[in-house]
Amino acid sequence: MIKTAIRVTQWLKNRREQAGDRGETSITTVIIIVALVAGALLIAGTLALVFSRYNTALTGV
């Protein structure tokens, strides 16, 4: 998960450098990006919790 975040950060940095100075990023865009990242982390955390909690129950499946 951390590797993915690093890759996304690097990708965004490269995109900003290639785009040049096009003005400020709108607050709406920032809110959407933060919400997407928070949602992805929440889903990943929930899945990790469920898998770790029910790992012993799933081994026999």
Side-chain angles (χ1 to χ4, degrees), residues 6-42:
I6 291 171
R7 270 191 270 154
V8 169
T9 304
Q10 289 173 345
W11 179 80
L12 286 171
K13 182 181 175 185
N14 289 338
R15 293 289 294 165
R16 280 193 301 249
E17 289 173 357
Q18 291 174 359
D21 188 17
R22 294 189 300 175
E24 294 182 15
T25 304
S26 70
I27 189 68
T28 306
T29 304
V30 172
I31 292 171
I32 291 170
I33 290 172
V34 169
L36 287 172
V37 170
L41 290 174
L42 181 65

